[in-house]
Amino acid sequence: RRSSDLDISLLLRCTAAILTGSSRPESLVQLNGASVRQRFSEVVNGIRGALDFLDNQLHLPSISNLPFENALIPLSVFFSVPGNAEVAVTDEQRAILTKWFWRSAFSGRYSAGVLRHLDADINEARNLKEGRPSNLAEIAVDIDQSFFLENRFLTSSVHSKTFVALIAQLSPLNFVSGTNVNLREKLQHYNRKEFHHLMPKAFLAESGQTQRSENVLANFCFIARADNRTLGGGSPSSYRQRMAANMDEILQSHACPNALFDDNYEAFVTLRASALAMKAKELCGVNV
């Protein structure tokens, strides 16, 4: 969803944050109508700048791709500017905003204490924009392979959206053609049909490897429906021959180890979860 599709509640929270420094929509009541109208370009520019940052820097073209939609609020504050101006983002600011996004996602920052965390982040985003010291990205986060081994893939869940956003950073390739996945198309029409098991459910059942759920995050990636039909429901070692010639490159673009073709589910998901955790730590700026 672009700005035209923002729900009114989120739009009001962005507006309140930009105009009053508070994420509470009721704070707008303190302002007179003329003041709000006079500063409305700040709101429009802030939301538009935030959406463009998410799209261009993080490859997330839709609000529905965000683990927490509230992440749009501090970003809108950072990008708010009057008139026809745009915020010129320095490399340091871009790095801080990116680190904050990933740390807030992987730490579940907006799962609890939402207003308190939002107001703190709004203040720190303003400090960052105005060149003052900012603690925006100083969010404690603890990431390990359990995130990808214990959480199941449900397109509406925060954990799954965080996982999908991470995979989008890897410039994933299609399994059958070997070409780039069209992320804009896949993510704008975000649904379960764009994601499939690396080790198919039927194969795991037939081979008796059902001790761990087949639906853990570490067993999923972008595989288009047509590609999934081509690959079939057999073992990875059998569908390997139907993949494109640049197979190693394809696997790397999904943080997927070659152990996939050993057909050992537990060994494979453990290795992939570790690779995904390494990438998550990198995005969060956590020393590996």
Side-chain angles (χ1 to χ4, degrees):
R1 296 186 315 214
R2 296 299 292 182
S3 53
S4 59
D5 300 315
L6 293 181
D7 69 57
I8 191 66
S9 170
L10 183 58
L11 189 59
L12 283 172
R13 290 198 297 272
C14 289
T15 304
I18 291 167
L19 300 184
T20 75
S22 167
S23 61
R24 296 163 176 80
E26 55 268 28
S27 65
L28 291 169
V29 176
Q30 303 164 14
L31 304 177
N32 65 55
S35 173
V36 172
R37 285 191 294 274
Q38 189 175 11
R39 297 183 62 195
F40 195 65
S41 64
E42 291 178 50
V43 176
V44 173
N45 291 336
I47 293 173
R48 184 174 289 148
L51 291 169
D52 285 345
F53 178 84
L54 291 166
D55 191 358
N56 298 328
Q57 295 297 317
L58 300 176
H59 314 296
L60 302 175
S62 168
I63 292 296
S64 61
N65 301 142
L66 301 183
F68 297 101
E69 291 192 350
N70 280 330
L72 190 73
I73 299 170
L75 274 179
S76 295
V77 170
F78 178 85
F79 285 101
S80 64
V81 64
N84 296 317
E86 288 184 6
V87 174
V89 187
T90 67
D91 283 343
E92 182 184 10
Q93 288 172 325
R94 185 178 292 107
I96 290 171
L97 289 171
T98 302
K99 186 170 152 183
W100 159 79
F101 175 85
W102 292 110
R103 286 191 172 209
S104 65
F106 277 103
S107 68
R109 183 163 177 78
Y110 299 132
S111 292
V114 179
L115 292 177
R116 175 169 53 86
H117 287 142
L118 271 176
D119 286 349
D121 290 355
I122 287 164
N123 185 54
E124 295 300 338
R126 182 167 279 118
N127 285 341
L128 182 65
K129 176 172 73 169
E130 295 173 1
R132 295 192 293 270
S134 172
N135 294 319
L136 181 64
E138 301 310 306
I139 300 168
V141 63
D142 183 21
I143 306 163
D144 61 32
Q145 61 185 31
S146 65
F147 184 94
F148 304 97
L149 287 174
E150 295 174 5
N151 293 305
R152 299 190 183 195
F153 190 88
L154 298 164
T155 50
S156 60
S157 79
V158 168
H159 292 131
S160 295
K161 287 185 175 185
T162 301
F163 164 72
V164 170
L166 183 156
I167 294 294
Q169 309 312 302
L170 301 175
S171 302
L173 302 176
N174 289 297
F175 269 58
V176 174
S177 68
T179 57
N180 289 311
V181 170
N182 185 335
L183 288 174
R184 175 170 294 279
E185 178 184 282
K186 300 294 184 196
L187 292 176
Q188 279 185 327
H189 306 291
Y190 182 67
N191 62 58
R192 171 71 174 75
K193 294 171 185 172
E194 306 299 342
F195 304 93
H196 291 279
H197 300 90
L198 286 159
M199 285 214 180
K201 184 176 180 179
F203 161 69
L204 292 177
E206 287 167 12
S207 59
Q209 300 185 73
T210 53
Q211 295 87 351
R212 185 188 293 278
S213 168
E214 73 278 0
N215 291 323
V216 298
L217 295 177
N219 194 31
F220 276 83
C221 70
F222 283 108
I223 302 181
R225 270 178 297 178
D227 280 11
N228 195 53
R229 283 194 296 271
T230 299
L231 296 176
S235 66
S237 61
S238 67
Y239 72 61
R240 178 180 189 170
Q241 61 191 356
R242 293 188 283 280
M243 291 177 62
N246 57 334
M247 188 164 46
D248 288 342
E249 190 184 358
I250 294 168
L251 294 183
Q252 287 173 14
S253 75
H254 292 270
C256 183
N258 282 339
L260 171 66
F261 302 125
D262 295 338
D263 298 341
N264 183 323
Y265 183 53
E266 188 62 28
F268 163 68
V269 289
T270 301
L271 283 170
R272 186 165 190 247
S274 180
L276 291 166
M278 287 274 286
K279 181 62 182 178
K281 288 178 180 180
E282 179 189 319
L283 292 171
C284 289
V286 174
N287 292 329
V288 179

